[in-house]
Amino acid sequence: MQHDLRKIVKNFDRAQEEDQTAQFAAEHQLPYVNLVNYPFVGDVLGLIPEETANKFSIVAFMKIGQSLRVATSNPFNPELATTMNELGIKLDMKFEPFVCSPSSMDYALSRYPMIVQKAKDNSINTKPGESIENELKSLKDVQQAISTVSTTELLETIIGGATILDASDIHFEPMQDKVHVRFRVDGKLLPIFELPEKTYKPLSSRIMTSSKIKLDLKTVAQDGRMTVEVNGNPLDIRVNVLPSAYGQTIVLRLLNYKNFLTLDQLDFNDNAKAAMLEAVAKPEGLVLFTGPTGSGKTTSLYAVLQILNSNDRKIITIEDPVEYRIDGIEQIQINAADGFDFPQALRAVLRQDPNVIMVGEIRDKETAEIAVNAALTGHLVLSTLHTNSAAAAFARLLQMGVPKYLMADAIALVVAQRLVRKVCEVCRGSGCETCNMTGFKGRILISEYLKPDSEIIELIKREASLSEFQKHFAEAGGRSLLQDGLDKVAQGITTEEEVRSVTA
């Protein structure tokens, strides 16, 4: 039987109309969407011709990879399935159908003349075949492009501009009557521009919808993820939304695959690199990377995983979240809200007969104990720990309550690291457009490492203090983070002020 929602939904106010439509969708086990005031994008809406959209009451509202989400107010039109099949073949896309209210459909159809042609007329690439990289070269170019682009293309321009400037994060920060937008470049936040509040509302809705974050939950923090294409290359984006005094603060973490470096491309000194290669060549043991958030620990972990990734090894990672996807490696995403946390995931992984296990972070005693036990029973375990130095890792694990008799035999190597900004090679620190007038462009890694010796084992067994571990590190001739950094200062790569700012 044909169901026409226009006959079912009548004489109701807007709220009742949406409630009734949602109930209708649930009864027929179909997903529901409310498109009134939805931030439509011209190049997505325009995938379905306006004539077809009007004739069959169907519109496209979101594109995710090769999947296209479409909405209809008349899901049981007998001609709709054939039309969707033909469009799917023509566009080489898989359709995901949703049910919407008649008012939603009216709103969507009204957007065609307003944004479909406009999106084509306001493309970032002003010349055929020209990429955004050819148009945007500096901070000034990015700011100008963002200030002049149409609302429908604003998000693409912001993300594109961030990749041009090699930003790691994009911050949207609502204030009383405006929204600050800042990029984190080389570890420092860089003010980009300010958005009017009325522009931020549809922009934030689009970000949240694209990353599968619920729009109606405005008083809790939420996480999501989306993948976009920038100049033909995939870009994974982690999205975090946090309620604040003036609205929802949004941070986008750009997981750029061009930053997925090999160990040879990282800046470990020769001795540290040799120590790592020696440690990960063993079939068992615990290798730890330490440092604060943003010190490059995850990048180092992934670099080591690339070395170990081979057909004769089973490698499983436990991450929160999975940042970069690697072929040939099983990557597990924890979900603490559902009880699937690091300890539970680690126990489950051990039953999968892995050779190598990567635990994104050791946060508690339970995870630490399981990781240490795994390292003693024929597994190579890689992980990270939040400590300020290599020596501090031993004291931290003892403070967590990890049994000293386990630690003494399990730990193969601890590497501490930081990232410092590099002096701009163009202006040599005086400031230019290339470095956004900061004097710095790019970052370099500084590190220290500590391999347990007989003295370290004795310190562990008698649960020595942090100062005792640090004293042994110095007396044994260990080169500290500061010393490694000053070596790079002497080479003209960075400045002493930069080094001391992260090693103090």
Side-chain angles (χ1 to χ4, degrees):
M1 184 177 84
Q2 180 174 330
H3 295 71
D4 188 344
L5 292 186
R6 290 185 183 278
K7 296 178 181 177
I8 295 175
V9 183
K10 56 184 178 181
N11 300 324
F12 289 98
D13 61 23
R14 280 286 303 119
Q16 290 173 316
E17 179 186 17
E18 294 304 326
D19 289 344
Q20 191 78 354
T21 304
Q23 182 180 348
F24 172 87
E27 288 172 355
H28 292 86
Q29 297 184 327
L30 294 169
Y32 156 78
V33 65
N34 181 357
L35 295 179
V36 174
N37 295 322
Y38 181 84
F40 283 99
V41 180
D43 55 357
V44 174
L45 185 65
L47 289 172
I48 296 178
E50 185 174 6
E51 183 179 349
T52 303
N54 276 287
K55 182 177 180 180
F56 297 101
S57 294
I58 180 172
V59 294
F61 66 94
M62 186 186 300
K63 180 178 178 290
I64 305 175
Q66 290 304 113
S67 295
L68 186 66
R69 293 186 178 181
V70 298
T72 179
S73 59
N74 190 5
F76 296 105
N77 182 335
E79 299 178 43
L80 185 60
T82 302
T83 301
M84 288 176 61
N85 186 54
E86 291 175 353
L87 281 170
I89 294 172
K90 180 180 179 181
L91 296 171
D92 189 25
M93 302 193 76
K94 179 183 176 182
F95 280 26
E96 297 180 29
F98 285 68
V99 174
C100 69
S101 68
S103 292
S104 281
M105 183 55 58
D106 289 341
Y107 176 81
L109 295 174
S110 72
R111 304 299 293 165
Y112 266 92
M114 302 172 67
I115 69 169
V116 172
Q117 187 59 41
K118 183 179 288 188
K120 295 177 182 178
D121 292 343
N122 287 286
S123 171
I124 297 172
N125 300 323
T126 56
K127 299 177 183 177
E130 185 175 22
S131 73
I132 187 172
E133 291 175 336
N134 291 329
E135 292 191 28
L136 307 181
K137 298 289 187 182
S138 66
L139 173 60
K140 187 182 297 184
D141 293 338
V142 171
Q143 291 172 323
Q144 184 175 1
I146 291 172
S147 66
T148 57
V149 77
S150 66
T151 303
T152 57
E153 301 241 337
L154 181 58
L155 181 59
E156 286 86 347
T157 309
I158 292 172
I159 293 174
T163 61
I164 295 302
L165 298 178
D166 289 326
S168 60
D169 304 83
I170 303 172
H171 292 244
F172 297 92
E173 302 161 329
M175 300 296 153
Q176 187 168 6
D177 55 358
K178 57 194 172 187
V179 177
H180 292 168
V181 180
R182 298 193 288 176
F183 293 171
R184 188 173 293 281
V185 179
D186 296 334
K188 304 291 184 180
L189 280 172
L190 195 65
I192 303 299
F193 69 110
E194 295 177 351
L195 272 177
E197 186 181 1
K198 65 178 182 180
T199 303
Y200 181 58
K201 185 175 181 180
L203 179 69
S204 61
S205 295
R206 187 178 172 205
I207 292 171
M208 293 168 68
T209 304
S210 299
S211 53
K212 299 182 180 179
I213 289 176
K214 296 179 180 179
L215 295 174
D216 56 336
L217 296 182
K218 299 183 182 296
T219 58
V220 298
Q222 297 186 76
D223 292 297
R225 187 171 189 139
M226 61 179 170
T227 300
V228 300
E229 199 170 276
V230 179
N231 297 321
N233 298 311
L235 176 67
D236 274 357
I237 301 176
R238 274 169 43 193
V239 182
N240 177 264
V241 178
L242 185 69
S244 66
Y246 296 111
Q248 290 173 296
T249 296
I250 298 178
V251 176
L252 310 184
R253 166 63 60 87
L254 310 183
L255 303 174
N256 199 329
Y257 286 95
K258 74 179 183 180
N259 294 330
F260 191 25
L261 304 176
T262 66
L263 193 61
D264 287 335
Q265 292 172 310
L266 295 176
D267 303 298
F268 289 105
N269 61 59
D270 290 342
N271 290 335
K273 183 178 174 182
M276 281 187 281
L277 292 174
E278 179 185 356
V280 302
K282 298 176 181 178
E284 63 181 25
L286 175 61
V287 177
L288 291 171
F289 290 88
T290 77
T293 300
S295 59
K297 300 186 298 296
T298 301
T299 300
S300 296
L301 279 178
Y302 277 103
V304 171
L305 287 176
Q306 290 182 83
I307 294 173
L308 298 171
N309 192 9
S310 63
N311 291 330
D312 61 347
R313 286 193 185 97
K314 184 179 180 71
I315 302 176
I316 304 179
T317 72
I318 306 168
E319 304 176 64
D320 181 26
V322 173
E323 294 203 3
Y324 300 100
R325 295 175 175 88
I326 311 174
D327 288 339
I329 293 179
E330 297 177 30
Q331 296 174 270
I332 310 300
Q333 166 78 54
I334 73 163
N335 188 345
D338 291 336
F340 190 59
D341 54 13
F342 275 115
Q344 185 178 10
L346 189 48
R347 288 192 190 93
V349 162
L350 287 169
R351 295 192 289 271
Q352 291 282 313
D353 188 30
N355 299 103
V356 181
I357 303 169
M358 189 270 269
V359 182
E361 182 183 347
I362 293 177
R363 299 175 179 174
D364 52 59
K365 176 185 176 182
E366 190 175 10
T367 305
E369 283 192 358
I370 300 170
V372 166
N373 273 296
L376 291 171
T377 55
H379 306 89
L380 179 62
V381 181
L382 312 173
S383 192
T384 70
L385 196 63
H386 281 270
T387 64
N388 289 328
S389 66
F394 298 94
R396 176 73 180 119
L397 290 173
L398 286 171
Q399 289 171 355
M400 281 185 175
V402 177
K404 55 189 177 184
Y405 63 88
L406 294 177
M407 274 181 58
D409 294 328
I411 299 177
L413 182 70
V414 180
V415 180
Q417 62 183 72
R418 300 288 192 279
L419 293 173
V420 294
R421 292 184 297 173
K422 296 165 62 177
V423 174
C424 177
E425 295 180 358
V426 176
C427 65
R428 299 310 301 171
S430 60
C432 63
E433 283 199 352
T434 299
C435 62
N436 305 313
M437 305 307 294
T438 64
F440 297 93
K441 182 67 175 177
R443 289 190 288 177
I444 192 168
L445 182 147
I446 60 174
S447 65
E448 66 182 30
Y449 70 93
L450 181 54
K451 289 194 296 183
D453 55 17
S454 58
E455 180 64 24
I456 286 287
I457 291 172
E458 286 303 315
L459 291 173
I460 292 172
K461 287 180 178 179
R462 62 183 179 84
E463 300 184 20
S465 65
L466 171 58
S467 61
E468 290 178 280
F469 281 107
Q470 290 175 325
K471 180 182 178 182
H472 171 71
F473 174 77
E475 291 178 347
R479 289 188 61 77
S480 68
L481 286 161
L482 177 60
Q483 290 171 312
D484 191 34
L486 292 178
D487 283 347
K488 292 178 169 64
V489 173
Q491 297 170 41
I493 299 173
T494 186
T495 66
E496 184 172 347
E497 182 182 6
E498 270 292 300
V499 171
R500 292 192 180 279
S501 72
V502 299
T503 57

